[in-house]
């Protein structure tokens, strides 16, 4: 089991007892966060965010808590052209609803009518903790470019020898010659009279 990062988990028991519209502001943060949530990105399993930092405002609505805020982090990525690992600073926004699972006054499970179900909402734990890990991961993942580049004008790898062209040109000849012309050229060179020697 993953140990919860205390800087992304907040106890909201007190806020749940306060009048509608009450809010709290929190700084959020984590030194490291694995972005291993299920996602369409095949590389998300290996992605790691460092220096996660941001802030949120949590507001009490009639049934839910509304979390709004922003988060930034450095994410280790692989350049899609030259395959070099690099760190990209990214910024994401948070806006999520959190539903209580246990009534803070009675301690009983919260029952919801079918028409009150919100599949997109997150749950507040039975001990009234609100865990921002999931939304923070999502916010950072959607902020990532689909084809990361170590720099805008990355020269990429040579398609012939695989050399990193950012470090300078490789020894490969530009592939502009056609093999058939190459054969012809060799032939005509051999057919040319040598000339040398005749002048002696
Ligand atoms: Zn690159
Ligand atoms: Zn090359």
């Amino acid at each position: 089991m993953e140990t919860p990062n205390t800087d992304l988990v907040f106890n909201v028991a007190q806020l749940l007892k306060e009048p509608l519209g009450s809010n709290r502001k929190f700084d959020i943060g984590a030194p490291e966060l694995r972005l291993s949530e299920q996602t369409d990105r095949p590389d998300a399993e290996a992605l790691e965010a460092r220096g996660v930092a941001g802030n949120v405002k949590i507001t009490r609505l009639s049934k839910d808590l509304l979390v709004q805020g922003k988060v930034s982090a450095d994410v280790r990525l692989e350049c899609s052209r030259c395959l070099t690992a690099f760190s990209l600073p990214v910024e994401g926004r948070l806006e999520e609803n959190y539903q209580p699972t246990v009534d803070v006054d009675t301690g009983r499970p919260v029952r919801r009518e079918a028409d009150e179900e919100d599949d997109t909402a997150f749950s507040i734990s039975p001990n009234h903790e609100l865990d921002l890990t999931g939304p923070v991961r999502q916010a950072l993942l959607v902020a990532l470019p689909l084809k990361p580049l170590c720099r805008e004008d990355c020269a990429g790898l040579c398609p012939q020898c695989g050399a990193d062209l950012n470090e300078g040109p490789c020894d490969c000849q530009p592939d502009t010659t056609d093999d058939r012309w190459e054969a012809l050229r060799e032939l005509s060179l051999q057919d040319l009279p040598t000339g040398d020697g005749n002048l002696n």
Side-chain angles (χ1 to χ4, degrees):
M1 216 179 96
E2 202 177 326
T3 42
N5 188 306
T6 50
D7 291 326
L8 293 174
V9 180
F10 301 97
N11 192 299
V12 290
Q14 197 53 44
L15 180 58
L16 286 167
K17 293 176 186 167
E18 290 177 17
L20 295 187
S22 301
N23 65 69
R24 289 274 197 294
K25 287 174 182 160
F26 296 105
D27 287 332
I28 61 174
E32 286 175 12
L33 182 66
R34 202 163 248 277
L35 305 183
S36 55
E37 203 174 58
Q38 282 190 339
T39 157
D40 291 339
R41 289 184 69 97
D43 55 351
E45 198 62 42
L47 285 176
E48 192 169 81
R50 287 175 191 233
V52 178
N55 51 71
V56 292
K57 182 168 111 172
I58 305 178
T59 308
R60 202 197 143 197
L61 306 181
S62 59
K63 298 187 180 77
D64 309 348
L65 296 182
L66 171 66
V67 177
Q68 295 164 297
K70 54 186 178 187
V71 63
S72 63
D74 289 324
V75 180
R76 292 292 285 175
L77 294 171
E78 194 177 72
C79 176
S80 59
R81 278 190 206 152
C82 72
L83 310 182
T84 305
F86 69 105
S87 247
L88 185 74
V90 294
E91 249 182 54
R93 298 206 140 268
L94 300 168
E95 179 149 352
E96 305 291 348
N97 283 72
Y98 276 76
Q99 299 182 327
T101 48
V102 166
D103 188 294
V104 73
D105 294 316
T106 65
R108 293 198 177 148
V110 173
R111 283 185 218 288
R112 286 178 187 276
E113 305 299 326
D115 61 346
E116 289 177 353
E117 289 291 347
D118 181 356
D119 292 339
T120 64
F122 289 84
S123 293
I124 300 169
S125 78
N127 52 347
H128 314 299
E129 283 185 335
L130 186 153
D131 186 349
L132 291 172
T133 308
V136 164
R137 277 183 181 142
Q138 279 179 16
L140 294 175
L141 278 172
V142 299
L144 296 178
L146 279 176
K147 288 192 183 286
L149 291 178
C150 62
R151 57 180 215 227
E152 198 88 350
D153 60 345
C154 171
L157 302 179
C158 168
Q160 283 165 271
C161 72
D164 186 347
L165 299 176
N166 294 309
E167 290 165 10
C170 58
D171 294 330
C172 298
Q173 300 296 322
D175 191 16
T176 50
T177 48
D178 186 314
D179 286 343
R180 287 166 299 176
W181 290 111
E182 192 65 35
L184 254 182
R185 199 171 305 151
E186 279 170 23
L187 197 68
S188 51
L189 281 173
Q190 284 164 9
D191 288 347
L192 280 174
T194 48
D196 299 340
N198 290 346
L199 297 170
N200 288 342

